[in-house]
Amino acid sequence: MTFGFKPLQHTDHLDSDGEQFLTRHNIPVLTIAKDKAYLEKYGVDVSHSVDYWQSVEYLGGQVTAIPAQHGHGWIHKCMANGAGFYIALPNEPTLYICGDTVLTDDVKQALDQVKPDYAVLAAGEAQMDVGKPLLMSSDELLAFIRLCPGKVIANHMEALNHCPLNRQHFAQLVKQHGLQDKVLIPLDGQTLELK
């Protein structure tokens, strides 16, 4: 999420309004261990911090931190810490929130090991003016969908100017490859009921 320095914080991950909401309402947060001190420095109540592949009990279930790599090549080192979370709660479908990541061996391992019912995938093909892509390419997105045992919820499109892949083009892409029945592409503000 951060380099531990406020001006370099990824505001599409946690913006100042979100941070204020968490602190004002004293909402407990689960985060990766690398971000614990930074969040606490700004008054966020970190109730749980975990290392990669570590699970913690949460709301009667478990949350597991999965490594995420925010970019290909050298640029991912400029993107700071990354993590996904696998959430397994009693009597609920399991959920893997991938975070901002490219398709890595860790991501493939998570899909194979935890077998999520749903996976939330940052699908915007984000790209800076320099360096390699920050998120999965179209080929990686298709591979991820094929590897995922459950349904994929695609997000992170049309929200930022560095995400050239929009919902319409992504829907066409998955349809061309016969994967449309595995993918949900919610609209802004749309609520999905996961069963």
Side-chain angles (χ1 to χ4, degrees), residues 10-11 19 21 23 30 45 49 53 70 85 89 92 97 100 108 125-126 142-143 149 183:
H10 287 213
T11 55
E19 192 176 283
F21 179 83
T23 55
L30 183 147
D45 176 17
S49 65
W53 296 111
H70 195 349
F85 293 95
L89 300 177
E92 296 292 340
I97 302 171
D100 285 358
K108 292 176 187 176
E125 288 190 335
L142 293 169
V183 179

Side-chain angles (χ1 to χ4, degrees), residues 2 12-13 15-16 20 22 24 26 28 36 63-65 85 88 97 103 113 121 131 143 162-163 167 194:
T2 67
D12 66 318
H13 299 188
D15 64 10
S16 59
Q20 288 173 17
L22 293 172
R24 190 174 332 120
N26 201 33
K36 181 180 189 299
V63 176
T64 305
F85 293 95
I97 302 171
L103 187 59
Q113 280 185 223
L121 176 62
H162 68 288
C163 293
R167 290 177 179 101
L194 307 182

